[in-house]
Amino acid sequence: GIQVEQSPPDLILQEGANSTLRCNFSDSVNNLQWFHQNPWGQLINLFYIPSGTKQNGRLSATTVATERYSLLYISSSQTTDSGVYFCAVELGNRDDKIIFGKGTRLHILP
Amino acid sequence: DGGITQSPKYLFRKEGQNVTLSCEQNLNHDAMYWYRQDPGQGLRLIYYSQIVNDFQKGDIAEGYSVSREKKESFPLTVTSAQKNPTAFYLCASSWGGLYNEQFFGPGTRLTVL
């Protein structure tokens, strides 16, 4: 089946730093989403991004579907950005499933 | 306030007992989902439902059952047939198409003793 790989697995940064998280997938997909899970387990949808670039405040995401990867950029990190970032891909018409990567654990130091 | 709720937050059960996890939403979303999360792992889809009285198996449906009698409610039963039920269970809902922007509940942490 399709493989979804996220890198790096862990990232520790000082407050104010910028970061780039990567999501690679092994087959064509119908859609891609980025999620943030806070330290208490709550998941929030960040971006719904099958292709192109979207921005929301300090966060932006770019998906290059033809090259099978997506990037999540976090600028001017804050301690509240800590948690785990997941990408998830939708397989589309041939298989109505959603597959999550294992996530990137981000820890922002004050 | 509109949202999605799960109860209880923590649940302990003895091995061999069935247990039902609650998920309720007042967002008027058509689709609802159940995911399982194990430590250090991403989410895996257990079941999903796009409309009332209809649901589909996800990747790891064995040992689980669901019902969708009302639009607002999508309870998950973890049966004794589930070999390793201890996990964090997340419910989500979305409007429009399948997996369209999902809103997640706070989760239920199930521990089987």
Side-chain angles (χ1 to χ4, degrees), chain B residues 42-98:
Chain B
L43 280 64
R44 290 184 290 167
L45 183 66
I46 305 173
Y47 269 99
Y48 64 98
S49 168
Q50 291 186 269
I51 56 172
V52 174
N53 292 322
D54 185 58
F55 46 82
Q56 306 296 328
K57 292 181 179 180
D59 287 324
I60 55 166
E62 185 175 351
Y64 299 98
S65 66
V66 293
S67 62
R68 188 85 188 276
E69 297 177 2
K70 299 186 300 182
K71 188 176 185 179
E72 303 80 18
S73 179
F74 191 40
L76 173 75
T77 297
V78 184
T79 76
S80 56
Q82 168 50 234
K83 298 302 180 192
N84 186 18
T86 295
F88 187 49
Y89 291 88
L90 285 153
C91 179
S93 68
S94 69
W95 58 272
L98 191 62

Side-chain angles (χ1 to χ4, degrees), chain A residues 33 37 42 86 96 101-102, chain B residues 37 41-43 90 99 104:
Chain A
Q33 302 181 53
Q37 186 172 38
Q42 181 69 53
F86 293 102
D96 283 335
K102 292 185 177 181
Chain B
Q37 186 177 25
Q41 302 294 316
L43 280 64
L90 285 153
Y99 307 123
F104 283 83

Side-chain angles (χ1 to χ4, degrees), chain A residues 77-88:
Chain A
S77 299
Q78 300 176 358
T79 56
T80 51
D81 295 331
S82 296
V84 184
Y85 290 81
F86 293 102
C87 70

